[in-house]
Amino acid sequence: MSRPVSSRATTVSALLIITSLLAWSAKEAESAGRMRSWSIMQDGTPFLKYYVQAGLTAAYLGELIPPLNSTQSTFGQTKLFAFNVTEGQDATSRLLGSMRGYTVQASATPDYHSVEVEVLEYNDGSLNGTISLQGIVTVGKTNEIAVVGGTGDFRGIRGYAVISFISSSDTLAIYYHELFVN
């Protein structure tokens, strides 16, 4: 006994829908698996480590908004930045990308607390995309800020970053970043 044509068409449509859903689920599972592999390791190993070469000259760090009251503090001063990101501490080590963003001086006291928003543009040959970070930083101290998202291979990333001051000269300050994600 043969089935009516409309019944066969419904079965074929259902199979196409199921196949599409399975393909989509496989892609989502692959993406989720990749994110799981980025999770903080049991031993506390960071997911990503790099150095930021913070140029201190006008070509790298430009004042966008002057302090609200420049005679008493730098409160409100806003600066834009674009720094190189390298694999090693030396400025000539392998370039991995750039760090761009801005800081707003959020303290009228000499401790220099700033609100900082950063976008890491990263490409080491195996991972490629951007990571967004933000938080309160204090110049010359070790800071912890939030990892709030990303694009490309870092889509959906969340966690935190530990930023450590390494050294500085008249023209360059070096920071070490360790990113931990969950």
Side-chain angles (χ1 to χ4, degrees), residues 100-131:
R100 297 177 184 156
Y102 62 90
T103 61
V104 178
Q105 186 69 31
S107 172
T109 60
D111 56 7
Y112 297 107
H113 291 300
S114 294
V115 174
E116 187 162 299
V117 175
E118 308 176 347
V119 177
L120 168 64
E121 189 173 14
Y122 187 89
N123 185 352
D124 68 0
S126 67
L127 294 172
N128 184 14
T130 64
I131 299 174

mmCIF file of all heavy atoms in Angstrom, residues 100-131:
data_model
loop_
_atom_site.group_PDB
_atom_site.id
_atom_site.type_symbol
_atom_site.label_atom_id
_atom_site.label_comp_id
_atom_site.label_asym_id
_atom_site.label_seq_id
_atom_site.Cartn_x
_atom_site.Cartn_y
_atom_site.Cartn_z
ATOM 1 N N ARG A 100 43.747 48.787 22.119
ATOM 2 C CA ARG A 100 43.232 50.145 21.903
ATOM 3 C C ARG A 100 42.140 50.421 22.914
ATOM 4 O O ARG A 100 41.426 49.522 23.329
ATOM 5 C CB ARG A 100 42.665 50.267 20.496
ATOM 6 C CG ARG A 100 43.732 50.064 19.459
ATOM 7 C CD ARG A 100 43.205 50.096 18.078
ATOM 8 N NE ARG A 100 44.329 49.799 17.192
ATOM 9 C CZ ARG A 100 44.207 49.304 16.003
ATOM 10 N NH1 ARG A 100 43.027 49.054 15.515
ATOM 11 N NH2 ARG A 100 45.267 49.065 15.272
ATOM 12 N N GLY A 101 42.024 51.699 23.288
ATOM 13 C CA GLY A 101 40.979 52.035 24.232
ATOM 14 C C GLY A 101 41.122 53.426 24.779
ATOM 15 O O GLY A 101 41.733 54.294 24.161
ATOM 16 N N TYR A 102 40.568 53.620 25.987
ATOM 17 C CA TYR A 102 40.640 54.919 26.629
ATOM 18 C C TYR A 102 40.609 54.749 28.141
ATOM 19 O O TYR A 102 40.153 53.736 28.659
ATOM 20 C CB TYR A 102 39.505 55.843 26.176
ATOM 21 C CG TYR A 102 38.126 55.346 26.514
ATOM 22 C CD1 TYR A 102 37.524 55.688 27.724
ATOM 23 C CD2 TYR A 102 37.420 54.546 25.622
ATOM 24 C CE1 TYR A 102 36.251 55.234 28.030
ATOM 25 C CE2 TYR A 102 36.143 54.101 25.918
ATOM 26 C CZ TYR A 102 35.568 54.445 27.133
ATOM 27 O OH TYR A 102 34.318 53.998 27.443
ATOM 28 N N THR A 103 41.134 55.760 28.834
ATOM 29 C CA THR A 103 41.069 55.832 30.285
ATOM 30 C C THR A 103 40.455 57.172 30.673
ATOM 31 O O THR A 103 40.638 58.171 29.986
ATOM 32 C CB THR A 103 42.464 55.718 30.949
ATOM 33 O OG1 THR A 103 43.269 56.809 30.509
ATOM 34 C CG2 THR A 103 43.138 54.411 30.611
ATOM 35 N N VAL A 104 39.727 57.162 31.769
ATOM 36 C CA VAL A 104 39.162 58.382 32.340
ATOM 37 C C VAL A 104 39.619 58.432 33.797
ATOM 38 O O VAL A 104 39.340 57.502 34.564
ATOM 39 C CB VAL A 104 37.617 58.397 32.272
ATOM 40 C CG1 VAL A 104 37.066 59.665 32.924
ATOM 41 C CG2 VAL A 104 37.127 58.260 30.846
ATOM 42 N N GLN A 105 40.346 59.499 34.148
ATOM 43 C CA GLN A 105 40.826 59.659 35.522
ATOM 44 C C GLN A 105 39.617 59.792 36.438
ATOM 45 O O GLN A 105 38.819 60.715 36.286
ATOM 46 C CB GLN A 105 41.715 60.893 35.616
ATOM 47 C CG GLN A 105 42.371 61.085 36.951
ATOM 48 C CD GLN A 105 43.425 60.036 37.226
ATOM 49 O OE1 GLN A 105 44.060 59.540 36.322
ATOM 50 N NE2 GLN A 105 43.576 59.691 38.477
ATOM 51 N N ALA A 106 39.462 58.849 37.383
ATOM 52 C CA ALA A 106 38.273 58.809 38.226
ATOM 53 C C ALA A 106 38.606 59.005 39.696
ATOM 54 O O ALA A 106 37.914 58.506 40.568
ATOM 55 C CB ALA A 106 37.549 57.486 38.014
ATOM 56 N N SER A 107 39.697 59.711 39.963
ATOM 57 C CA SER A 107 40.107 59.956 41.339
ATOM 58 C C SER A 107 40.768 61.326 41.414
ATOM 59 O O SER A 107 41.584 61.673 40.572
ATOM 60 C CB SER A 107 41.097 58.871 41.774
ATOM 61 O OG SER A 107 41.645 59.167 43.025
ATOM 62 N N ALA A 108 40.426 62.075 42.444
ATOM 63 C CA ALA A 108 41.039 63.391 42.641
ATOM 64 C C ALA A 108 42.231 63.294 43.591
ATOM 65 O O ALA A 108 42.817 64.291 43.956
ATOM 66 C CB ALA A 108 40.006 64.370 43.185
ATOM 67 N N THR A 109 42.585 62.078 43.984
ATOM 68 C CA THR A 109 43.707 61.863 44.897
ATOM 69 C C THR A 109 44.925 61.378 44.119
ATOM 70 O O THR A 109 44.808 60.950 42.968
ATOM 71 C CB THR A 109 43.312 60.820 45.963
ATOM 72 O OG1 THR A 109 42.989 59.600 45.304
ATOM 73 C CG2 THR A 109 42.128 61.295 46.787
ATOM 74 N N PRO A 110 46.096 61.400 44.723
ATOM 75 C CA PRO A 110 47.323 61.015 44.011
ATOM 76 C C PRO A 110 47.419 59.538 43.632
ATOM 77 O O PRO A 110 48.387 59.139 43.004
ATOM 78 C CB PRO A 110 48.430 61.366 45.008
ATOM 79 C CG PRO A 110 47.827 62.269 46.008
ATOM 80 C CD PRO A 110 46.379 61.967 46.039
ATOM 81 N N ASP A 111 46.451 58.683 43.979
ATOM 82 C CA ASP A 111 46.548 57.255 43.660
ATOM 83 C C ASP A 111 46.183 56.929 42.212
ATOM 84 O O ASP A 111 46.374 55.817 41.759
ATOM 85 C CB ASP A 111 45.702 56.413 44.612
ATOM 86 C CG ASP A 111 44.247 56.845 44.638
ATOM 87 O OD1 ASP A 111 43.844 57.699 43.829
ATOM 88 O OD2 ASP A 111 43.502 56.330 45.485
ATOM 89 N N TYR A 112 45.678 57.883 41.463
ATOM 90 C CA TYR A 112 45.426 57.753 40.029
ATOM 91 C C TYR A 112 44.565 56.552 39.639
ATOM 92 O O TYR A 112 44.947 55.738 38.823
ATOM 93 C CB TYR A 112 46.743 57.723 39.241
ATOM 94 C CG TYR A 112 47.519 58.997 39.374
ATOM 95 C CD1 TYR A 112 48.661 59.044 40.142
ATOM 96 C CD2 TYR A 112 47.088 60.167 38.751
ATOM 97 C CE1 TYR A 112 49.372 60.229 40.291
ATOM 98 C CE2 TYR A 112 47.791 61.352 38.886
ATOM 99 C CZ TYR A 112 48.936 61.370 39.656
ATOM 100 O OH TYR A 112 49.615 62.528 39.803
ATOM 101 N N HIS A 113 43.392 56.420 40.237
ATOM 102 C CA HIS A 113 42.425 55.413 39.798
ATOM 103 C C HIS A 113 41.798 55.888 38.495
ATOM 104 O O HIS A 113 41.371 57.037 38.385
ATOM 105 C CB HIS A 113 41.297 55.228 40.825
ATOM 106 C CG HIS A 113 41.739 54.593 42.090
ATOM 107 N ND1 HIS A 113 42.291 53.345 42.157
ATOM 108 C CD2 HIS A 113 41.703 55.056 43.360
ATOM 109 C CE1 HIS A 113 42.565 53.048 43.405
ATOM 110 N NE2 HIS A 113 42.226 54.079 44.162
ATOM 111 N N SER A 114 41.737 55.013 37.510
ATOM 112 C CA SER A 114 41.131 55.350 36.222
ATOM 113 C C SER A 114 40.144 54.271 35.820
ATOM 114 O O SER A 114 40.335 53.097 36.122
ATOM 115 C CB SER A 114 42.192 55.443 35.122
ATOM 116 O OG SER A 114 43.053 56.520 35.360
ATOM 117 N N VAL A 115 39.110 54.679 35.131
ATOM 118 C CA VAL A 115 38.224 53.731 34.470
ATOM 119 C C VAL A 115 38.868 53.458 33.113
ATOM 120 O O VAL A 115 39.195 54.394 32.382
ATOM 121 C CB VAL A 115 36.806 54.319 34.282
ATOM 122 C CG1 VAL A 115 35.943 53.385 33.458
ATOM 123 C CG2 VAL A 115 36.174 54.615 35.631
ATOM 124 N N GLU A 116 39.073 52.183 32.808
ATOM 125 C CA GLU A 116 39.746 51.842 31.555
ATOM 126 C C GLU A 116 38.888 50.879 30.748
ATOM 127 O O GLU A 116 38.339 49.924 31.283
ATOM 128 C CB GLU A 116 41.106 51.209 31.854
ATOM 129 C CG GLU A 116 41.938 50.982 30.603
ATOM 130 C CD GLU A 116 43.414 50.783 30.918
ATOM 131 O OE1 GLU A 116 44.034 51.707 31.486
ATOM 132 O OE2 GLU A 116 43.921 49.708 30.609
ATOM 133 N N VAL A 117 38.780 51.170 29.465
ATOM 134 C CA VAL A 117 38.089 50.299 28.514
ATOM 135 C C VAL A 117 39.107 49.956 27.430
ATOM 136 O O VAL A 117 39.703 50.853 26.835
ATOM 137 C CB VAL A 117 36.843 51.000 27.910
ATOM 138 C CG1 VAL A 117 36.212 50.126 26.840
ATOM 139 C CG2 VAL A 117 35.845 51.344 29.004
ATOM 140 N N GLU A 118 39.333 48.661 27.217
ATOM 141 C CA GLU A 118 40.345 48.191 26.272
ATOM 142 C C GLU A 118 39.728 47.204 25.289
ATOM 143 O O GLU A 118 38.850 46.434 25.660
ATOM 144 C CB GLU A 118 41.466 47.430 26.998
ATOM 145 C CG GLU A 118 42.094 48.122 28.143
ATOM 146 C CD GLU A 118 43.122 47.243 28.867
ATOM 147 O OE1 GLU A 118 43.183 46.016 28.629
ATOM 148 O OE2 GLU A 118 43.873 47.786 29.673
ATOM 149 N N VAL A 119 40.230 47.221 24.072
ATOM 150 C CA VAL A 119 39.886 46.188 23.097
ATOM 151 C C VAL A 119 41.196 45.606 22.590
ATOM 152 O O VAL A 119 42.015 46.316 22.009
ATOM 153 C CB VAL A 119 39.036 46.734 21.931
ATOM 154 C CG1 VAL A 119 38.780 45.634 20.904
ATOM 155 C CG2 VAL A 119 37.729 47.305 22.436
ATOM 156 N N LEU A 120 41.387 44.326 22.847
ATOM 157 C CA LEU A 120 42.559 43.607 22.375
ATOM 158 C C LEU A 120 42.253 43.041 20.999
ATOM 159 O O LEU A 120 41.285 42.289 20.836
ATOM 160 C CB LEU A 120 42.909 42.469 23.336
ATOM 161 C CG LEU A 120 43.927 41.439 22.854
ATOM 162 C CD1 LEU A 120 45.286 42.075 22.636
ATOM 163 C CD2 LEU A 120 44.014 40.280 23.837
ATOM 164 N N GLU A 121 43.025 43.420 20.011
ATOM 165 C CA GLU A 121 42.929 42.835 18.676
ATOM 166 C C GLU A 121 44.074 41.823 18.603
ATOM 167 O O GLU A 121 45.235 42.198 18.669
ATOM 168 C CB GLU A 121 43.088 43.920 17.627
ATOM 169 C CG GLU A 121 42.790 43.450 16.225
ATOM 170 C CD GLU A 121 42.793 44.601 15.238
ATOM 171 O OE1 GLU A 121 43.277 45.702 15.564
ATOM 172 O OE2 GLU A 121 42.321 44.380 14.125
ATOM 173 N N TYR A 122 43.735 40.535 18.505
ATOM 174 C CA TYR A 122 44.716 39.461 18.703
ATOM 175 C C TYR A 122 44.723 38.496 17.517
ATOM 176 O O TYR A 122 43.674 38.098 17.027
ATOM 177 C CB TYR A 122 44.348 38.704 19.986
ATOM 178 C CG TYR A 122 45.353 37.682 20.431
ATOM 179 C CD1 TYR A 122 46.389 38.044 21.270
ATOM 180 C CD2 TYR A 122 45.257 36.366 20.028
ATOM 181 C CE1 TYR A 122 47.317 37.107 21.698
ATOM 182 C CE2 TYR A 122 46.186 35.415 20.444
ATOM 183 C CZ TYR A 122 47.213 35.795 21.285
ATOM 184 O OH TYR A 122 48.134 34.872 21.708
ATOM 185 N N ASN A 123 45.936 38.115 17.106
ATOM 186 C CA ASN A 123 46.079 37.089 16.070
ATOM 187 C C ASN A 123 47.454 36.451 16.227
ATOM 188 O O ASN A 123 48.458 37.049 15.865
ATOM 189 C CB ASN A 123 45.927 37.670 14.673
ATOM 190 C CG ASN A 123 45.952 36.598 13.595
ATOM 191 O OD1 ASN A 123 46.224 35.426 13.860
ATOM 192 N ND2 ASN A 123 45.662 36.995 12.385
ATOM 193 N N ASP A 124 47.493 35.246 16.798
ATOM 194 C CA ASP A 124 48.770 34.554 16.981
ATOM 195 C C ASP A 124 48.990 33.451 15.944
ATOM 196 O O ASP A 124 49.913 32.670 16.051
ATOM 197 C CB ASP A 124 48.895 33.986 18.390
ATOM 198 C CG ASP A 124 47.928 32.845 18.678
ATOM 199 O OD1 ASP A 124 47.127 32.471 17.779
ATOM 200 O OD2 ASP A 124 47.957 32.322 19.806
ATOM 201 N N GLY A 125 48.121 33.404 14.931
ATOM 202 C CA GLY A 125 48.224 32.375 13.909
ATOM 203 C C GLY A 125 47.259 31.224 14.137
ATOM 204 O O GLY A 125 46.888 30.527 13.201
ATOM 205 N N SER A 126 46.836 31.009 15.395
ATOM 206 C CA SER A 126 45.838 29.967 15.653
ATOM 207 C C SER A 126 44.554 30.542 16.227
ATOM 208 O O SER A 126 43.488 30.005 15.992
ATOM 209 C CB SER A 126 46.407 28.892 16.580
ATOM 210 O OG SER A 126 46.654 29.413 17.862
ATOM 211 N N LEU A 127 44.646 31.621 16.978
ATOM 212 C CA LEU A 127 43.468 32.316 17.500
ATOM 213 C C LEU A 127 43.437 33.715 16.908
ATOM 214 O O LEU A 127 44.465 34.390 16.838
ATOM 215 C CB LEU A 127 43.533 32.417 19.030
ATOM 216 C CG LEU A 127 43.456 31.111 19.803
ATOM 217 C CD1 LEU A 127 43.722 31.356 21.278
ATOM 218 C CD2 LEU A 127 42.105 30.446 19.605
ATOM 219 N N ASN A 128 42.231 34.151 16.511
ATOM 220 C CA ASN A 128 42.100 35.440 15.834
ATOM 221 C C ASN A 128 40.769 36.078 16.219
ATOM 222 O O ASN A 128 39.723 35.436 16.127
ATOM 223 C CB ASN A 128 42.173 35.236 14.322
ATOM 224 C CG ASN A 128 42.148 36.533 13.558
ATOM 225 O OD1 ASN A 128 42.330 37.599 14.112
ATOM 226 N ND2 ASN A 128 41.912 36.427 12.269
ATOM 227 N N GLY A 129 40.811 37.320 16.677
ATOM 228 C CA GLY A 129 39.592 38.043 17.018
ATOM 229 C C GLY A 129 39.900 39.172 17.978
ATOM 230 O O GLY A 129 41.052 39.579 18.143
ATOM 231 N N THR A 130 38.852 39.680 18.617
ATOM 232 C CA THR A 130 39.016 40.749 19.595
ATOM 233 C C THR A 130 38.490 40.298 20.947
ATOM 234 O O THR A 130 37.603 39.436 21.025
ATOM 235 C CB THR A 130 38.267 42.032 19.179
ATOM 236 O OG1 THR A 130 36.867 41.772 19.157
ATOM 237 C CG2 THR A 130 38.741 42.537 17.830
ATOM 238 N N ILE A 131 39.043 40.892 21.997
ATOM 239 C CA ILE A 131 38.580 40.654 23.361
ATOM 240 C C ILE A 131 38.383 42.019 24.008
ATOM 241 O O ILE A 131 39.268 42.870 23.957
ATOM 242 C CB ILE A 131 39.594 39.826 24.177
ATOM 243 C CG1 ILE A 131 39.809 38.454 23.533
ATOM 244 C CG2 ILE A 131 39.122 39.677 25.622
ATOM 245 C CD1 ILE A 131 40.900 37.628 24.191
#
